Amino acid sequence: MKVTEHIKNAKGETLFSFEIIPPKKGKNIQDLYDNIDPLMEFKPPFIDVTTSREEYIYIEKQGLLDRKITRMRPGTVGICAAIKHKYDVDTVPHVLCGGFSKEETEYLLVDCHYLGINNVMALRGDAMSHQKYFEAQKGGHKYATDLVAQIQNLNCGQYLHDVLEVDDKSDFCIGVAGYPEKHIEAPSLQTDLKRLKEKVDAGADYVVTQMFFDNQKYFKFVEAAKKAGIHVPIIPGIKPIAVQRHLQLLPQVFKIDLPQDLIQAVENCKDNKQVREVGIEWAIKQSKELQDAGVPVLHFYSMGKSDNIKTIASALF
């Protein structure tokens, strides 16, 4: 079932969903199942699985360093299929522009169609660690809008090099990212909303926001999006603070502001165990307010760990 169908069938009730990251190469998928198991009691209608882009590693050969490309967390589509089979739940693989050609993207989407996966999250992706700015893969997309258009074309039977008249066309429900505090590269929030509108016009069916810690920024973002002509569901993304260094790391990486009350509470903690409790309490308070406002889904960034998400969900669902 599509994400938008789950939202429609909920009839105004806020749903619970979460996002996981694939295990690193060499790890067993059981570790992933162990963190998903405790969250299934809250009946998530869908689970997102991230995609990591390629990165460079350096291998020493005869005293010289040889640069090779690798992916540390491959297997997104396979993991989606495994989770879908094991838990009978819809899965949402993340599809990136970065690191993929248009042909590779088409093959991935065809695999998803074969497996009965009919939700995808279309993202541009980040720049590689050695790049100052994002650079498109040779033969790939530069913008998420173009990726959305390719997925939508496939839904119409239009492949990159063929137009196929078939009854069993793909019917992907397409999610995209939104930024309540604007994308790091956007010159203004208004410009960022213009880009979001372009993604929706290209075929995006719903939006999931980047994490935020001040609900007013989400509410203002949703209102501004409506004024800009964006009328698809906008799902808030929630991440509980877990360690002290998040005070510096999250604003640095995601260019977001943390409320002063939250900063003070974390700074008063003696250790990360106390920080984790502060993060849980803040996320519960934040989520209850969003629930009361009637958000369609509370989407949690679990990063592969479920204990704090389970505590938060227990207070909400």
Side-chain angles (χ1 to χ4, degrees):
M1 191 181 295
K2 295 181 178 182
V3 168
T4 49
E5 291 173 333
H6 285 298
I7 292 171
K8 183 179 179 181
N9 292 344
K11 297 180 179 178
E13 180 182 350
T14 300
L15 301 172
F16 165 79
S17 72
F18 60 95
E19 183 173 302
I20 59 173
I21 58 175
K24 288 185 177 180
K25 288 188 295 188
K27 295 288 185 178
N28 194 301
I29 197 171
Q30 187 58 48
D31 294 338
L32 200 57
Y33 291 156
D34 290 343
N35 279 291
I36 294 174
D37 286 344
L39 301 179
M40 294 310 296
E41 68 174 275
F42 307 109
K43 297 180 173 56
F46 60 91
I47 298 171
D48 275 51
V49 183
T50 66
T51 296
S52 64
R53 67 168 304 173
E54 80 282 16
E55 56 187 275
Y56 284 119
I57 59 171
Y58 293 87
I59 301 172
E60 185 173 352
K61 286 186 177 181
Q62 300 177 342
L64 298 175
L65 291 177
D66 189 19
R67 190 171 75 167
K68 298 290 185 182
I69 287 181
T70 187
R71 291 184 190 274
M72 295 305 296
R73 296 180 184 271
T76 294
V77 173
I79 289 169
C80 282
I83 292 172
K84 180 179 172 68
H85 175 73
K86 180 176 174 63
Y87 297 103
D88 190 25
V89 64
D90 286 311
T91 50
V92 186
H94 289 195
V95 183
L96 303 182
C97 296
F100 295 87
S101 68
K102 296 172 188 176
E103 284 77 12
E104 288 170 327
T105 297
E106 184 173 282
Y107 301 150
L108 182 150
L109 293 169
V110 169
D111 286 347
C112 288
H113 180 52
Y114 288 154
L115 293 165
I117 296 169
N118 59 359
N119 296 285
V120 293
M121 174 65 66
L123 304 166
R124 190 199 70 176
D126 298 323
M128 295 179 69
S129 58
H130 69 284
Q131 297 171 340
K132 186 173 182 180
Y133 302 107
F134 175 85
E135 297 176 14
Q137 171 85 2
K138 184 177 181 180
H141 295 298
K142 187 175 181 180
Y143 301 109
T145 303
D146 300 324
L147 175 57
V148 171
Q150 180 181 358
I151 300 169
Q152 188 62 28
N153 284 343
L154 203 67
N155 285 344
C156 298
Q158 184 178 336
Y159 292 73
L160 288 174
H161 310 298
D162 306 279
V163 177
L164 303 181
E165 295 296 332
V166 294
D167 294 329
D168 187 24
K169 294 178 183 177
S170 65
D171 189 21
F172 291 112
C173 178
I174 307 169
V176 293
Y179 301 86
E181 298 175 67
K182 87 173 184 63
H183 188 275
I184 182 175
E185 296 173 17
S188 70
L189 182 57
Q190 201 60 40
T191 301
D192 205 25
L193 282 168
K194 182 179 178 181
R195 298 291 172 254
L196 181 59
K197 177 68 161 53
E198 290 171 356
K199 289 190 282 189
V200 172
D201 289 345
D205 298 292
Y206 69 98
V207 176
V208 180
T209 76
Q210 180 177 259
M211 70 182 74
F212 58 90
F213 295 87
D214 180 350
N215 286 347
Q216 292 306 310
K217 293 184 177 180
Y218 168 80
F219 296 138
K220 289 178 181 178
F221 175 71
V222 171
E223 187 61 32
K226 288 179 180 177
K227 289 180 180 178
I230 299 168
H231 300 293
V232 299
I234 299 180
I235 297 171
I238 307 297
K239 176 177 174 56
I241 291 278
V243 293
Q244 185 99 28
R245 65 189 179 92
H246 278 166
L247 290 187
Q248 290 75 41
L249 185 65
L250 297 181
Q252 179 184 4
V253 173
F254 300 102
K255 296 299 182 286
I256 57 176
D257 287 336
L258 300 179
Q260 192 58 43
D261 289 350
L262 177 58
I263 295 171
Q264 191 63 54
V266 172
E267 288 180 341
N268 289 340
C269 292
K270 296 179 181 178
D271 53 35
N272 280 335
K273 183 178 179 180
Q274 290 186 0
V275 173
R276 201 169 185 81
E277 290 303 315
V278 166
I280 289 170
E281 291 173 8
W282 188 274
I284 290 172
K285 179 182 176 182
Q286 186 180 0
S287 298
K288 283 184 176 178
E289 184 178 26
L290 291 167
Q291 258 186 331
D292 291 342
V295 299
V297 184
L298 287 171
H299 185 71
F300 292 91
Y301 297 113
S302 73
M303 303 308 291
K305 299 296 182 182
S306 62
D307 55 331
N308 55 350
I309 306 298
K310 177 177 170 60
T311 303
I312 295 164
S314 297
L316 301 169
F317 297 98

